[in-house]
Amino acid sequence: MKTTTKITVTALLCVAALYFLIPVYWLVIAATKSTGDLYGSSGWWLFNPQLFENLKQVFTYNDGIFLRWIGNTLLYAGVGATLSTWVAAACGYALAKFRFRGRETVFNLVLGGVLVPFTALALPLYLLFSQLGLSNTVFAVLLPCLVSPFGVYLCRIYADAAVPDELLEAGRLDGAGEARIFHTVVLRMMAPALVTTFLFEFVGIWNNYFLPLVMLSDTKLYPLTLGLSLWQSTADREPVLTQLTIGGALVSVVPLMIAMVFLQRFWRGGLTEGSVKG
Amino acid sequence: MRQKLSIAGFLAPFLVLFSAFFLLPIGYSIYRSLTVVERTGPLGLGGAEQVFGGLTNYLWALQEPGFLGGLGRILLFGVVQVPVMIAGATLLALLLDSASARWKGFFRATYFLPYGIPGVLASILWGFLYMPGVSPFSELLGVEIDFLGQDNVLWSIANIVTWSFAGYNMLVITAQLNAIDPSLYESARMDGANAWQIAWHVKLPLIRPALVLTTVFSIIGTLQLFAEPMVLKELSTAIDVRYTPNLSAYSEAFVNNDYGLAAAQAVLLALTAFVLSFGFLKLVGRRGP
């Protein structure tokens, strides 16, 4: 391999890395500054760092509402992703391993569901939930997130390839019920697909902005995304919020980025299933 | 019989939830889009009732310059941003796949990082990087760049979307590259092909399904553009409440309380997404995502 090629390739990769990292670097630096220094000093270097004071303010502002937002986010994304993964696994497994009338119809419905823009659903969902008196509750954000057509699609493809019929037959001969076979044998074999589905849903729910924005008016129920955008949009009236937004963004972004780095192999694994055989 | 019951048991949770939170809202949206509010009594003060309005809301939506302008704007956005992002992601995946690349794990992780940052937070972050007086880029160049002005703001948004999703798309493409049988490269090399020719003639055709998949998801994502302009709206006077179709629908519903019109706009947007994604799939001659 020629040295010039090696240098060119590495240089290109480094330039790309800078593009992705500079905003994060700026965020880390900016989070250490006072509001005045944010405007008054160079954005590239540290200047009178006071990270801990800033973070203390983030966590104590408005009786610690930021902590509540973290809790809400974990609740919505954690519970939502867990339940929706189980729901998708059961459906995907049934579609892959049983022959029944209407099977193709159900699967086509699922495929169609993958293509529906989620924001087109949020508006009518709000109207329906508010007629039931359930808008502005935890359920309004949680329940719609339990449906994951893409998860069903992934689970079906994976179950098709990874769960052998003989094993199911053996279980049936032993007298185990279908639900028992599913929960003890099948789920374990589908573990990689379940992890991928879970992560997809987790990131999807944590990313979701439109649905909670439409549904929630009580700031105590807000997830982090909504809370921080509230701070950002009211910063012109209350300048300290600019600094709080930056500090809050740092606190919310860093754990997720670290998780991304360690979990990226699950995305690759699961996506090969989805894209190669699709 | 017992088996039928268990199949139903496996399918039921998804189908019930799918009907309640997918099919029902779609149906309700279509129903609301066909109704208009009629005011009764003198000067319309007697009260309001919902009546069947046929396609009135759709006609309004299609005559509304703001909504059409927003639709045109995101189509322009998609025509530029989607190819740029997919090409960039493909280039990065191919570079990382080549024998010349060093520190592959580090680079791959770095490119994937922004995917973990929600669009709202990415927009807040880039909002600061664009903000006059704060922007480190303007500082670096020594001139104030007008990232948020009328001419640039659409491309500033495009940059946020690219930053967020290029690494994710790269990972999908990488997954498919890893699935290629290495003996194919061996035979190409025996035939005298160099690294560039292998990338162009062997790898690129084989990662086509991944490119199709990422493009379709990007098209759908582009049409739904909402969080980024919603956040930047606070910083830029160039973004109004009808900047994208989703912003239009949102403000019709929650600012003007015209749910019928908002529903019609949401339906039109969903239809556009269907037409464009199926159109694209048809164009490249493959079925399903």
Side-chain angles (χ1 to χ4, degrees):
Chain A
M1 194 56 62
K2 276 182 294 179
T3 325
T4 43
T5 321
K6 247 180 216 173
I7 293 172
T8 316
V9 168
T10 310
L12 282 171
L13 291 172
C14 284
V15 170
L18 280 180
Y19 170 66
F20 291 108
L21 285 179
I22 282 176
V24 181
Y25 170 80
W26 180 87
L27 181 65
V28 174
I29 296 289
T32 67
K33 290 183 179 172
S34 67
T35 310
D37 289 341
L38 190 65
Y39 297 93
S41 70
S42 164
W44 295 94
W45 310 113
L46 285 174
F47 191 85
N48 294 336
Q50 47 161 17
L51 180 65
F52 290 104
E53 285 135 83
N54 288 346
L55 291 186
K56 205 178 122 196
Q57 245 191 327
V58 169
F59 282 103
T60 52
Y61 179 82
N62 200 357
D63 295 329
I65 193 137
F66 186 75
L67 269 176
R68 255 199 96 109
W69 292 340
I70 293 183
N72 292 340
T73 305
L74 291 177
L75 171 76
Y76 299 143
V79 174
T82 309
L83 290 177
S84 78
T85 304
W86 180 80
V87 168
C91 183
Y93 165 66
L95 288 173
K97 287 293 160 186
F98 294 93
R99 307 276 165 274
F100 55 91
R101 220 161 29 144
R103 192 169 77 126
E104 285 313 304
T105 316
V106 172
F107 191 59
N108 286 334
L109 213 61
V110 170
L111 276 188
V114 173
L115 297 180
V116 173
F118 193 75
T119 46
L121 298 173
L123 197 72
L125 277 172
Y126 166 75
L127 296 175
L128 291 167
F129 270 91
S130 56
Q131 277 171 14
L132 295 171
L134 283 176
S135 65
N136 198 25
T137 65
V138 171
F139 300 104
V141 181
L142 205 50
L143 288 176
C145 293
L146 299 183
V147 194
S148 165
F150 190 63
V152 174
Y153 170 73
L154 270 180
C155 287
R156 180 206 157 132
I157 285 170
Y158 197 85
D160 217 10
V163 181
D165 288 328
E166 301 78 49
L167 205 75
L168 302 177
E169 280 311 318
R172 282 173 198 138
L173 286 176
D174 286 346
E178 293 293 341
R180 210 186 124 92
I181 295 177
F182 173 69
H183 284 111
T184 54
V185 182
V186 174
L187 279 187
R188 202 172 308 148
M189 306 200 71
M190 289 175 68
L194 299 185
V195 175
T196 307
T197 308
F198 178 86
L199 291 175
F200 251 104
E201 276 301 288
F202 194 92
V203 172
I205 298 172
W206 148 250
N207 261 313
N208 198 341
Y209 174 63
F210 202 81
L211 186 72
L213 176 73
V214 165
M215 290 287 187
L216 303 175
S217 50
D218 181 359
T219 52
K220 287 202 169 75
L221 295 177
Y222 276 14
L224 270 175
T225 45
L226 217 51
L228 285 176
S229 72
L230 175 74
W231 278 359
Q232 181 247 9
S233 64
T234 36
D236 50 352
R237 266 162 283 160
E238 210 176 328
V240 66
L241 286 176
T242 305
Q243 193 50 58
L244 292 187
T245 308
I246 292 175
L250 181 75
V251 174
S252 3
V253 152
V254 166
L256 263 140
M257 290 194 313
I258 295 172
M260 279 302 129
V261 173
F262 286 106
L263 296 173
Q264 52 155 328
R265 69 192 174 93
F266 290 107
W267 259 271
R268 264 184 291 158
L271 285 163
T272 338
E273 296 303 325
S275 60
V276 173
K277 292 172 191 161
Chain B
M1 186 59 216
R2 211 182 114 234
Q3 208 188 25
K4 261 195 186 150
L5 221 67
S6 15
I7 297 173
F10 288 132
L11 293 176
F14 181 79
L15 289 182
V16 168
L17 291 167
F18 189 76
S19 309
F21 304 121
F22 253 77
L23 299 181
L24 183 67
I26 292 172
Y28 188 66
S29 208
I30 293 169
Y31 161 74
R32 282 303 287 257
S33 73
L34 297 173
T35 63
V36 289
V37 173
E38 207 156 73
R39 309 224 164 253
T40 54
L43 300 169
L45 292 171
E49 58 174 332
Q50 274 182 54
V51 295
F52 181 73
L55 294 177
T56 317
N57 285 317
Y58 289 91
L59 289 177
W60 275 343
L62 290 174
Q63 283 166 5
E64 224 267 309
F67 178 70
L68 285 185
L71 199 59
R73 189 173 292 119
I74 55 164
L75 290 179
L76 170 69
F77 178 98
V79 165
V80 176
Q81 190 268 336
V82 175
V84 167
M85 175 177 65
I86 301 292
T90 310
L91 178 70
L92 290 179
L94 286 174
L95 284 174
L96 280 175
D97 196 54
S98 80
S100 315
R102 295 278 149 264
W103 312 304
K104 293 183 190 198
F106 165 76
F107 283 125
R108 202 166 34 225
T110 306
Y111 304 161
F112 188 55
L113 278 186
Y115 181 67
I117 303 176
V120 178
L121 295 188
S123 308
I124 290 176
L125 175 51
W126 277 99
F128 284 114
L129 296 171
Y130 294 150
M131 201 190 276
V134 177
S135 173
F137 301 117
S138 293
E139 183 197 323
L140 194 68
L141 295 171
V143 280
E144 200 66 68
I145 306 165
D146 190 17
F147 291 109
L148 297 167
Q150 193 78 45
D151 297 331
N152 297 337
V153 74
L154 187 64
W155 310 116
S156 296
I157 296 172
N159 173 57
I160 300 177
V161 176
T162 307
W163 184 77
S164 299
F165 291 104
Y168 166 76
N169 290 316
M170 174 216 66
L171 211 61
V172 178
I173 297 164
T174 300
Q176 188 130 44
L177 277 172
N178 289 343
I180 297 176
D181 181 3
S183 68
L184 279 175
Y185 305 149
E186 213 38 64
S187 43
R189 227 170 278 132
M190 302 267 261
D191 291 340
N194 63 27
W196 290 112
Q197 287 165 328
I198 289 176
W200 190 257
H201 294 290
V202 181
K203 292 180 181 178
L204 215 50
L206 285 171
I207 55 172
R208 213 174 118 94
L211 298 180
V212 172
L213 183 86
T214 48
T215 307
V216 168
F217 281 131
S218 303
I219 291 173
I220 298 172
T222 301
L223 288 167
Q224 300 193 68
L225 203 62
F226 179 78
E228 291 81 0
M230 184 78 175
V231 169
L232 290 189
K233 192 157 69 69
E234 302 294 333
L235 308 172
S236 167
T237 49
I239 298 175
D240 63 3
V241 294
R242 293 193 167 65
Y243 198 71
T244 69
N246 256 337
L247 268 172
S248 274
Y250 176 79
S251 34
E252 291 305 346
F254 294 99
V255 182
N256 303 338
N257 288 318
D258 191 341
Y259 294 113
L261 183 56
Q265 294 179 339
V267 171
L268 284 172
L269 187 64
L271 282 178
T272 314
F274 268 112
V275 169
L276 287 182
S277 42
F278 280 114
F280 176 75
L281 288 172
K282 196 133 192 119
L283 190 75
V284 297
R286 269 183 59 92
R287 267 190 65 237

